[in-house]
Amino acid sequence: WLCEYCILLCYISKYCRIMSGKTIASSFGEQPVVLSPKKQTPDTCERIVAFLDIMGFKDMVARHFETIKDKLEKLSSFIGETMDENYQYMIFSDSIILYAKSDGMEVFKSLLTKVSKIIEKSISLGLPIKGAIAKGECTVSLSYKPFFFGQPIIDAYTLEENVVLYGVVLHNTVEDMALELSRVNSDFVFDFNVPLKGGNSNHFVLNWFGQDLEQNRSNLMSIRTTVSDSPRRYIDNTLKCIDVVTK
Protein backbone atom coordinates (compact mmCIF):
# COMPACT_ATOMS: atom_id res chain seq x y z
CA TRP A 1 0.00 0.00 0.00
CA LEU A 2 2.88 2.35 0.68
CA CYS A 3 3.95 2.08 -2.95
CA GLU A 4 0.44 2.96 -4.13
CA TYR A 5 0.31 5.92 -1.76
CA CYS A 6 3.64 7.19 -3.06
CA ILE A 7 2.23 7.00 -6.58
CA LEU A 8 -0.79 9.03 -5.46
CA LEU A 9 1.38 11.65 -3.76
CA CYS A 10 3.49 11.99 -6.90
CA TYR A 11 0.31 12.33 -8.94
CA ILE A 12 -1.05 15.06 -6.69
CA SER A 13 2.29 16.87 -6.58
CA LYS A 14 2.51 16.87 -10.36
CA TYR A 15 -0.86 18.43 -11.00
CA CYS A 16 -1.61 20.61 -7.98
CA ARG A 17 -0.32 24.08 -7.19
CA ILE A 18 -1.43 25.91 -4.06
CA MET A 19 -2.96 29.28 -4.90
CA SER A 20 -4.28 30.31 -1.47
CA GLY A 21 -5.44 28.76 1.76
CA LYS A 22 -8.50 27.17 0.20
CA THR A 23 -7.81 27.18 -3.52
CA ILE A 24 -6.03 24.83 -5.89
CA ALA A 25 -5.25 25.61 -9.51
CA SER A 26 -5.83 22.95 -12.11
CA SER A 27 -3.28 21.99 -14.74
CA PHE A 28 -5.02 24.37 -17.13
CA GLY A 29 -3.35 27.37 -15.54
CA GLU A 30 -5.05 30.01 -13.43
CA GLN A 31 -8.53 28.53 -13.21
CA PRO A 32 -9.08 28.02 -9.46
CA VAL A 33 -10.75 24.87 -8.20
CA VAL A 34 -12.15 25.51 -4.75
CA LEU A 35 -12.08 23.14 -1.83
CA SER A 36 -15.47 23.26 -0.11
CA PRO A 37 -14.82 23.45 3.63
CA LYS A 38 -18.04 24.78 5.14
CA LYS A 39 -18.62 22.38 8.00
CA GLN A 40 -15.66 21.81 10.31
CA THR A 41 -14.86 18.21 11.19
CA PRO A 42 -11.93 16.85 13.19
CA ASP A 43 -8.73 16.63 11.18
CA THR A 44 -8.57 12.88 11.79
CA CYS A 45 -11.76 10.81 11.83
CA GLU A 46 -13.52 8.06 9.92
CA ARG A 47 -14.52 9.31 6.48
CA ILE A 48 -16.14 8.01 3.33
CA VAL A 49 -13.97 8.88 0.33
CA ALA A 50 -14.83 8.86 -3.37
CA PHE A 51 -11.95 8.98 -5.84
CA LEU A 52 -12.98 9.77 -9.44
CA ASP A 53 -10.79 9.83 -12.53
CA ILE A 54 -11.61 11.31 -15.94
CA MET A 55 -10.44 8.87 -18.60
CA GLY A 56 -8.39 9.68 -21.69
CA PHE A 57 -7.52 13.07 -20.24
CA LYS A 58 -3.99 13.39 -21.64
CA ASP A 59 -5.11 12.70 -25.19
CA MET A 60 -8.13 15.02 -24.91
CA VAL A 61 -5.99 17.90 -23.66
CA ALA A 62 -3.45 17.40 -26.45
CA ARG A 63 -6.12 17.33 -29.16
CA HIS A 64 -8.88 19.63 -27.87
CA PHE A 65 -7.47 21.85 -25.13
CA GLU A 66 -10.01 24.68 -25.18
CA THR A 67 -12.98 22.33 -25.54
CA ILE A 68 -11.88 20.18 -22.62
CA LYS A 69 -11.09 23.25 -20.54
CA ASP A 70 -14.64 24.51 -21.09
CA LYS A 71 -16.14 21.12 -20.20
CA LEU A 72 -14.07 20.85 -17.03
CA GLU A 73 -15.12 24.33 -15.96
CA LYS A 74 -18.76 23.29 -16.39
CA LEU A 75 -18.17 20.07 -14.44
CA SER A 76 -16.34 21.95 -11.67
CA SER A 77 -19.21 24.44 -11.35
CA PHE A 78 -21.72 21.59 -11.24
CA ILE A 79 -19.80 19.82 -8.47
CA GLY A 80 -19.70 23.04 -6.45
CA GLU A 81 -23.47 23.40 -6.79
CA THR A 82 -24.00 19.75 -5.84
CA MET A 83 -22.03 19.85 -2.58
CA ASP A 84 -23.38 21.04 0.77
CA GLU A 85 -21.91 21.79 4.19
CA ASN A 86 -21.45 18.13 5.08
CA TYR A 87 -19.08 17.43 2.20
CA GLN A 88 -15.68 18.56 1.05
CA TYR A 89 -14.08 18.06 -2.31
CA MET A 90 -10.90 18.63 -4.27
CA ILE A 91 -10.26 18.73 -8.01
CA PHE A 92 -6.80 18.43 -9.51
CA SER A 93 -6.29 17.93 -13.22
CA ASP A 94 -8.31 14.84 -14.19
CA SER A 95 -9.03 13.61 -10.66
CA ILE A 96 -11.76 14.45 -8.16
CA ILE A 97 -11.85 13.52 -4.47
CA LEU A 98 -15.02 13.86 -2.41
CA TYR A 99 -15.17 13.02 1.26
CA ALA A 100 -17.46 13.27 4.25
CA LYS A 101 -17.38 12.34 7.90
CA SER A 102 -18.82 8.84 8.20
CA ASP A 103 -21.96 9.49 10.24
CA GLY A 104 -24.00 6.49 9.17
CA MET A 105 -26.34 5.41 6.42
CA GLU A 106 -27.85 8.81 5.62
CA VAL A 107 -24.43 10.32 4.87
CA PHE A 108 -23.57 7.26 2.78
CA LYS A 109 -26.78 7.53 0.76
CA SER A 110 -26.29 11.26 0.27
CA LEU A 111 -22.72 10.77 -0.96
CA LEU A 112 -23.86 8.08 -3.39
CA THR A 113 -26.51 10.43 -4.74
CA LYS A 114 -24.00 13.25 -5.22
CA VAL A 115 -21.45 10.99 -6.90
CA SER A 116 -24.18 9.62 -9.20
CA LYS A 117 -25.05 13.14 -10.32
CA ILE A 118 -21.38 13.94 -10.97
CA ILE A 119 -20.88 10.77 -13.05
CA GLU A 120 -24.04 11.47 -15.03
CA LYS A 121 -23.03 15.09 -15.66
CA SER A 122 -19.49 14.14 -16.67
CA ILE A 123 -20.72 11.53 -19.15
CA SER A 124 -23.22 14.03 -20.59
CA LEU A 125 -20.31 16.42 -21.22
CA GLY A 126 -18.44 13.70 -23.10
CA LEU A 127 -15.98 13.14 -20.24
CA PRO A 128 -15.82 9.41 -19.49
CA ILE A 129 -15.19 8.87 -15.80
CA LYS A 130 -14.69 6.01 -13.36
CA GLY A 131 -14.04 5.77 -9.64
CA ALA A 132 -14.30 3.95 -6.35
CA ILE A 133 -15.60 4.62 -2.84
CA ALA A 134 -13.95 3.48 0.38
CA LYS A 135 -14.20 4.17 4.13
CA GLY A 136 -11.68 4.49 6.94
CA GLU A 137 -9.68 6.79 9.17
CA CYS A 138 -8.52 9.80 7.22
CA THR A 139 -6.70 13.02 8.07
CA VAL A 140 -7.73 16.17 6.24
CA SER A 141 -6.26 19.61 6.83
CA LEU A 142 -7.71 22.67 5.12
CA SER A 143 -5.12 25.05 6.46
CA TYR A 144 -2.78 27.15 4.28
CA LYS A 145 -1.21 23.94 2.98
CA PRO A 146 -4.01 21.38 2.40
CA PHE A 147 -3.05 17.88 3.51
CA PHE A 148 -4.79 14.59 2.78
CA PHE A 149 -3.76 11.27 4.23
CA GLY A 150 -5.41 7.95 5.01
CA GLN A 151 -6.10 4.38 4.00
CA PRO A 152 -9.49 5.10 2.35
CA ILE A 153 -7.79 7.41 -0.15
CA ILE A 154 -5.35 4.63 -1.01
CA ASP A 155 -8.10 2.00 -1.16
CA ALA A 156 -10.36 4.07 -3.42
CA TYR A 157 -7.48 5.09 -5.69
CA THR A 158 -6.13 1.54 -6.02
CA LEU A 159 -9.54 0.01 -6.79
CA GLU A 160 -10.40 2.76 -9.27
CA GLU A 161 -7.15 2.12 -11.14
CA ASN A 162 -8.20 -1.49 -11.80
CA VAL A 163 -11.80 -0.91 -12.88
CA VAL A 164 -12.53 -1.42 -16.59
CA LEU A 165 -15.88 0.34 -16.95
CA TYR A 166 -17.28 3.83 -16.55
CA GLY A 167 -18.94 4.27 -13.19
CA VAL A 168 -18.12 3.76 -9.52
CA VAL A 169 -17.26 0.53 -7.71
CA LEU A 170 -17.55 0.16 -3.94
CA HIS A 171 -14.57 -1.04 -1.89
CA ASN A 172 -15.02 -3.81 0.66
CA THR A 173 -14.76 -1.23 3.47
CA VAL A 174 -18.24 0.04 2.57
CA GLU A 175 -19.65 -3.32 1.54
CA ASP A 176 -21.62 -3.82 4.77
CA MET A 177 -23.36 -0.49 4.22
CA ALA A 178 -23.93 -1.27 0.55
CA LEU A 179 -25.44 -4.65 1.40
CA GLU A 180 -27.77 -3.12 3.97
CA LEU A 181 -28.79 -0.40 1.52
CA SER A 182 -29.39 -2.85 -1.33
CA ARG A 183 -31.84 -4.79 0.84
CA VAL A 184 -33.88 -1.66 1.49
CA ASN A 185 -33.49 0.24 -1.79
CA SER A 186 -31.91 -1.32 -4.87
CA ASP A 187 -31.98 2.02 -6.70
CA PHE A 188 -28.63 3.03 -5.18
CA VAL A 189 -26.30 0.07 -5.66
CA PHE A 190 -26.28 -3.43 -7.11
CA ASP A 191 -24.01 -6.46 -7.06
CA PHE A 192 -22.15 -6.99 -10.35
CA ASN A 193 -19.33 -9.12 -11.72
CA VAL A 194 -17.05 -6.13 -12.32
CA PRO A 195 -14.43 -6.27 -15.09
CA LEU A 196 -11.03 -5.48 -13.56
CA LYS A 197 -7.59 -5.35 -15.14
CA GLY A 198 -6.68 -8.60 -13.39
CA GLY A 199 -9.98 -10.36 -14.16
CA ASN A 200 -13.60 -10.14 -13.09
CA SER A 201 -14.74 -9.94 -9.46
CA ASN A 202 -18.10 -9.27 -7.81
CA HIS A 203 -18.46 -5.86 -6.16
CA PHE A 204 -21.28 -3.49 -5.45
CA VAL A 205 -21.58 -0.85 -8.18
CA LEU A 206 -23.23 2.57 -8.03
CA ASN A 207 -26.41 2.88 -10.07
CA TRP A 208 -25.59 6.29 -11.56
CA PHE A 209 -27.59 5.76 -14.74
CA GLY A 210 -31.02 4.80 -13.39
CA GLN A 211 -32.58 8.27 -13.15
CA ASP A 212 -32.53 8.82 -16.92
CA LEU A 213 -31.64 5.49 -18.44
CA GLU A 214 -32.19 6.21 -22.12
CA GLN A 215 -30.40 9.55 -22.08
CA ASN A 216 -27.42 8.10 -20.22
CA ARG A 217 -27.23 5.19 -22.63
CA SER A 218 -27.34 7.65 -25.53
CA ASN A 219 -24.56 9.73 -23.98
CA LEU A 220 -22.38 6.63 -23.64
CA MET A 221 -23.03 5.70 -27.28
CA SER A 222 -22.02 9.22 -28.34
CA ILE A 223 -18.68 8.77 -26.58
CA ARG A 224 -18.31 5.31 -28.12
CA THR A 225 -18.33 6.76 -31.64
CA THR A 226 -15.24 8.84 -30.81
CA VAL A 227 -12.98 6.02 -29.54
CA SER A 228 -11.56 2.64 -30.49
CA ASP A 229 -9.50 -0.12 -28.89
CA SER A 230 -9.34 -0.16 -25.07
CA PRO A 231 -11.54 2.93 -24.43
CA ARG A 232 -14.35 1.30 -26.40
CA ARG A 233 -14.04 -1.78 -24.19
CA TYR A 234 -14.75 0.42 -21.16
CA ILE A 235 -17.97 1.61 -22.77
CA ASP A 236 -19.02 -1.87 -23.86
CA ASN A 237 -18.50 -3.13 -20.30
CA THR A 238 -20.56 -0.24 -18.97
CA LEU A 239 -23.40 -0.97 -21.39
CA LYS A 240 -23.34 -4.64 -20.34
CA CYS A 241 -23.54 -3.52 -16.73
CA ILE A 242 -26.59 -1.38 -17.51
CA ASP A 243 -28.24 -4.25 -19.39
CA VAL A 244 -27.78 -6.62 -16.44
CA VAL A 245 -29.47 -4.19 -14.07
CA THR A 246 -32.34 -3.16 -16.33
CA LYS A 247 -33.36 -6.61 -17.58
Side-chain angles (χ1 to χ4, degrees):
W1 65 265
L2 183 58
C3 178
E4 295 290 349
Y5 185 64
C6 289
I7 292 172
L8 179 57
L9 285 180
C10 291
Y11 194 72
I12 293 175
S13 297
K14 180 179 180 181
Y15 289 111
C16 295
R17 177 160 57 89
I18 304 302
M19 297 293 288
S20 68
K22 296 179 181 178
T23 306
I24 287 180
S26 76
S27 62
F28 288 113
E30 300 307 312
Q31 175 202 355
V33 181
V34 180
L35 296 167
S36 56
K38 293 183 180 179
K39 184 177 180 180
Q40 295 299 317
T41 58
D43 276 354
T44 301
C45 65
E46 187 170 82
R47 287 180 167 89
I48 301 174
V49 177
F51 189 98
L52 309 176
D53 183 31
I54 298 172
M55 303 296 294
F57 188 77
K58 181 179 179 181
D59 184 64
M60 286 190 289
V61 170
R63 295 173 183 267
H64 311 288
F65 181 88
E66 289 299 327
T67 300
I68 298 306
K69 179 176 181 291
D70 179 64
K71 289 181 177 182
L72 279 182
E73 287 173 344
K74 291 178 180 177
L75 181 61
S76 176
S77 296
F78 178 82
I79 293 173
E81 294 167 1
T82 303
M83 295 297 105
D84 59 44
E85 64 179 10
N86 296 303
Y87 301 88
Q88 295 160 330
Y89 70 97
M90 172 181 173
I91 304 173
F92 47 96
S93 188
D94 56 348
S95 296
I96 304 161
I97 297 180
L98 298 86
Y99 49 95
K101 185 177 179 181
S102 181
D103 283 333
M105 184 59 73
E106 289 307 310
V107 171
F108 183 56
K109 287 165 60 178
S110 180
L111 181 67
L112 293 181
T113 299
K114 293 178 187 305
V115 172
S116 291
K117 291 179 179 178
I118 292 169
I119 299 294
E120 190 171 21
K121 180 64 174 181
S122 184
I123 294 291
S124 74
L125 290 170
L127 299 173
I129 190 169
K130 64 173 183 169
I133 295 175
K135 181 181 71 171
E137 189 173 77
C138 183
T139 298
V140 176
S141 171
L142 296 176
S143 60
Y144 177 70
K145 295 182 178 181
F147 176 72
F148 303 84
F149 175 81
Q151 191 62 43
I153 301 174
I154 300 166
D155 290 337
Y157 169 76
T158 305
L159 179 56
E160 174 274 319
E161 277 283 286
N162 285 296
V163 172
V164 190
L165 56 72
Y166 297 144
V168 174
V169 177
L170 276 58
H171 189 262
N172 67 274
T173 50
V174 292
E175 199 161 78
D176 56 339
M177 300 177 75
L179 181 60
E180 180 183 346
L181 182 58
S182 68
R183 290 169 175 166
V184 178
N185 189 339
S186 59
D187 291 338
F188 282 94
V189 296
F190 56 94
D191 191 32
F192 182 66
N193 193 22
V194 178
L196 304 169
K197 290 179 180 177
N200 288 27
S201 179
N202 274 67
H203 286 75
F204 279 101
V205 176
L206 180 63
N207 182 2
W208 62 269
F209 45 79
Q211 292 300 311
D212 194 346
L213 182 62
E214 292 309 313
Q215 184 59 59
N216 288 323
R217 194 193 298 271
S218 175
N219 291 337
L220 283 168
M221 291 303 296
S222 294
I223 296 174
R224 191 178 188 276
T225 62
T226 67
V227 297
S228 295
D229 199 24
S230 189
R232 182 167 284 197
R233 184 158 60 94
Y234 277 78
I235 294 176
D236 290 345
N237 288 338
T238 307
L239 292 170
K240 289 177 183 177
C241 179
I242 292 174
D243 289 341
V244 167
V245 177
T246 55
K247 281 183 178 179

